[in-house]
């Protein structure tokens, strides 16, 4: 969605970086939904994703503080509303 909408306005390096970040998000959500106790796997993917740099500011702005805190809480043993991945 965001990548498709902005592909024409991104240079090839930005597009590749954001595509990789999106793949990490998909993997993180997959692990979170299927094996939420896999803290080491989640943290490894989060660290790898962090190496890609910051996601587009527009996407960060769309995440509410509640979504971010729910996700952080779920990684430390809390739970998210409905048990669903809160990133996407």
């Amino acid at each position: 969605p965001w990548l498709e909408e902005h592909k024409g306005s991104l240079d090839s390096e930005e597009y590749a970086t954001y595509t990789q970040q999106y793949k990490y998000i998909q993997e993180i959500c997959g692990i979170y939904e299927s094996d939420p106790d896999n803290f080491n796997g989640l943290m490894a993917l989060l660290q790898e994703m962090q190496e890609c740099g910051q996601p587009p500011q527009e996407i960060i702005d769309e995440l509410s503080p509640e979504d971010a805190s729910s996700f952080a809480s779920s990684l430390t043993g809390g739970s998210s509303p409905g048990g669903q991945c809160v990133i996407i």
Side-chain angles (χ1 to χ4, degrees), residues 5 7 9 18 22 32-33 38 49 54 56 62 64 85:
E5 292 173 13
K7 185 176 183 176
S9 64
Y18 295 154
Y22 179 66
Y32 177 74
E33 291 174 354
N38 186 353
M49 186 178 82
Q54 185 155 330
E62 288 179 13
S64 73
C85 183

Side-chain angles (χ1 to χ4, degrees), residues 33-58:
E33 291 174 354
S34 66
D35 188 12
D37 294 329
N38 186 353
F39 184 77
N40 290 334
L42 289 167
M43 290 308 297
L45 286 171
L46 286 167
Q47 288 174 347
E48 289 176 32
M49 186 178 82
Q50 187 175 14
E51 291 175 10
C52 292
Q54 185 155 330
Q57 188 63 43
E58 186 177 337

Side-chain angles (χ1 to χ4, degrees), residues 12-31:
S12 60
E13 186 176 324
E14 285 178 313
Y15 185 76
T17 298
Y18 295 154
T19 298
Q20 185 60 48
Q21 288 173 335
Y22 179 66
K23 289 177 183 178
Y24 282 127
I25 292 294
Q26 290 176 311
E27 289 182 60
I28 290 166
C29 286
I31 290 174

